[in-house]
Amino acid sequence: MKQYYKINEIAKLYNIGVDSLRYYEELGILQPKRGENRYRQYSTHDIYRLNIIKDMRNLGFSMAKIKTYLENRSIENSLHLFEEEIKVIDQKMAELQNMRFDMERRKEELLKTQKMTFDKIQVKKLPKRKCVTLKTTTNDANDNDFLLAKLSKEYEENLFAIANFNTGCIIDIHAHPCHYKDVLIMGDTLLSYEFELPQGTYLTLSYRGKKDQNFEHLYEMMAYMRKMGYEADGDALELLIIDVHETIDPKEYITQLQIKIKNADEKTPYCGNNRQ
C-alpha cells in the first residue's frame, strides 16, 4: 500500500484546491512531511485528518473549531462534537423541508396560472397575509426591481423560495396621480414580518405581459368601484405572479392588481373589457 501521496493526488482525490491544502498547512491542521526534493508528502494520518476537516466544513464549522477538535480529540470531546453535528444536521433538515414546502407551493401556484381569468375585474375573499416592505419614491419599474432585490437580501434568512413569488408593490391610489409607495414581499413562510395585510373582500384584475399596463388597469378598477358604489379600504397591491424570474418571454408575465373594498355586497363579479 502506498505510504505517501503528493499534493496533486490529494487535491484530485478530495476535489479540493491545492491552495486550500496549503492553507490547512499554514493553520497547522495538516502537517505533510517534505521529501528530499521538498515536495509535500501526505500520509494516511493526513488523509484521516482531511476526512474530519471535510465533514466538519460541510456542516459549516469554522477552521478554528476544527483545529481545536483535531488537537484535543478524546471520547468526551468526540461525543460533544457529535451532539453539535446532530443539531446542525437537524437545522439543515428543517431548512430543506421548508424549501421543499415552498417549492411545492410555488409549483402549484404556477400550475394554477394556467387556469386564471385575465383582463376581468373580479370580487374575491382573501385571507390575512404576512408582509415586509421597503419604501420607494419612484414609479420606474426597473428601480422597484432593484429595491425588491434589496428587500429580498435583507430578509434572505426568512425566504426559502427560489422563485420570485409573492413580491410586488403597494400603490397609493388616494394620491393624484397614483404612485408607488412601497415594494413588498408577502407569504405564509416568512419567519418574521412587519405586519399582516388584512383579510377581506378585494377587487382583483390579472393581466399578461409587461407590467407597464398596471396604471391603465388600475384606473379601470377605480372607475368600476365608483360605478358600483364601493369604497377603497387602503392602498392597491401590484403582485408579480410571473416575471423575469420564471420566464424570459414578457408575453408570459402575469401581474395581479388588488384593491381591498368596503361595503361590498358580493354580487356576481363584473367582467371588464376583454383584451385577450
Side-chain angles (χ1 to χ4, degrees), residues 24-40:
Y24 296 158
E25 184 178 350
E26 289 176 11
L27 294 177
I29 294 176
L30 290 181
Q31 298 173 338
K33 64 174 293 187
R34 297 281 181 162
E36 293 181 1
N37 53 10
R38 300 298 296 163
Y39 288 165
R40 293 174 176 83

Side-chain angles (χ1 to χ4, degrees), residues 221-238:
M221 295 173 73
M222 293 168 66
Y224 173 66
M225 278 197 305
R226 291 191 293 270
K227 175 182 177 181
M228 297 298 293
Y230 295 150
E231 182 181 350
D233 188 6
D235 298 310
L237 303 175
E238 174 196 275

Side-chain angles (χ1 to χ4, degrees), residues 5-248:
Y5 300 82
K6 295 178 181 179
I7 190 170
N8 289 331
E9 292 178 305
I10 294 295
K12 184 177 180 180
L13 180 63
Y14 283 91
N15 193 28
I16 188 172
V18 294
D19 289 341
S20 294
L21 291 171
R22 294 190 184 104
Y23 175 60
Y24 296 158
E25 184 178 350
E26 289 176 11
L27 294 177
I29 294 176
L30 290 181
Q31 298 173 338
K33 64 174 293 187
R34 297 281 181 162
E36 293 181 1
N37 53 10
R38 300 298 296 163
Y39 288 165
R40 293 174 176 83
Q41 294 183 328
Y42 294 87
S43 67
T44 53
H45 177 72
D46 293 312
I47 292 175
Y48 166 75
R49 293 170 70 90
L50 192 56
N51 281 327
I52 296 175
I53 295 168
K54 183 167 77 90
D55 290 344
M56 293 183 71
R57 287 293 289 164
N58 286 340
L59 291 174
F61 287 97
S62 68
M63 296 308 300
K65 179 79 174 179
I66 295 170
K67 183 177 182 181
T68 298
Y69 173 69
L70 288 172
E71 293 176 351
N72 299 276
R73 291 196 308 280
S74 67
I75 295 297
E76 181 180 355
N77 286 342
S78 291
L79 287 172
H80 180 69
L81 175 67
F82 296 158
E83 286 297 325
E84 287 190 75
E85 289 182 331
I86 289 170
K87 289 179 182 179
V88 171
I89 291 169
D90 286 344
Q91 181 180 350
K92 289 183 177 293
M93 288 174 64
E95 291 173 356
L96 287 171
Q97 186 62 37
N98 282 329
M99 288 181 66
R100 189 183 192 285
F101 172 79
D102 254 16
M103 291 302 98
E104 287 289 345
R105 177 190 57 80
R106 182 53 178 152
K107 177 183 175 183
E108 290 175 5
E109 293 295 339
L110 284 176
L111 290 172
K112 286 180 183 178
T113 62
Q114 298 177 11
K115 300 179 180 180
M116 286 180 69
T117 299
F118 295 100
D119 300 308
K120 294 181 180 179
I121 298 173
Q122 297 181 295
V123 180
K124 294 183 179 181
K125 285 282 191 180
L126 297 177
K128 290 181 180 180
R129 291 162 288 176
K130 299 175 184 177
C131 186
V132 295
T133 62
L134 185 64
K135 194 75 175 175
T136 181
T137 58
T138 179
N139 271 341
D140 189 310
N142 292 325
D143 289 344
N144 284 334
D145 287 342
F146 173 78
L147 290 175
L148 277 172
K150 183 177 179 181
L151 185 61
S152 297
K153 179 65 177 176
E154 183 178 345
Y155 284 89
E156 63 182 346
E157 293 184 359
N158 288 265
L159 303 171
F160 296 104
I162 296 172
N164 189 37
F165 185 63
N166 283 347
T167 65
C169 297
I170 297 175
I171 302 175
D172 186 346
I173 57 174
H174 303 285
H176 300 285
C178 299
H179 63 82
Y180 291 116
K181 58 186 292 186
D182 300 282
V183 296
L184 66 85
I185 296 174
M186 68 180 185
D188 293 336
T189 55
L190 282 172
L191 300 181
S192 63
Y193 55 96
E194 296 174 17
F195 61 92
E196 287 183 319
L197 294 168
Q199 67 180 15
T201 304
Y202 286 75
L203 291 186
T204 70
L205 187 151
S206 303
Y207 64 91
R208 293 190 182 98
K210 293 183 178 179
K211 60 182 180 181
D212 54 8
Q213 311 168 52
N214 55 0
F215 285 100
E216 175 187 348
H217 287 298
L218 191 59
Y219 290 133
E220 178 186 347
M221 295 173 73
M222 293 168 66
Y224 173 66
M225 278 197 305
R226 291 191 293 270
K227 175 182 177 181
M228 297 298 293
Y230 295 150
E231 182 181 350
D233 188 6
D235 298 310
L237 303 175
E238 174 196 275
L239 302 181
L240 311 180
I241 307 301
I242 293 179
D243 68 354
V244 68
H245 292 80
E246 291 82 23
T247 177
I248 60 173

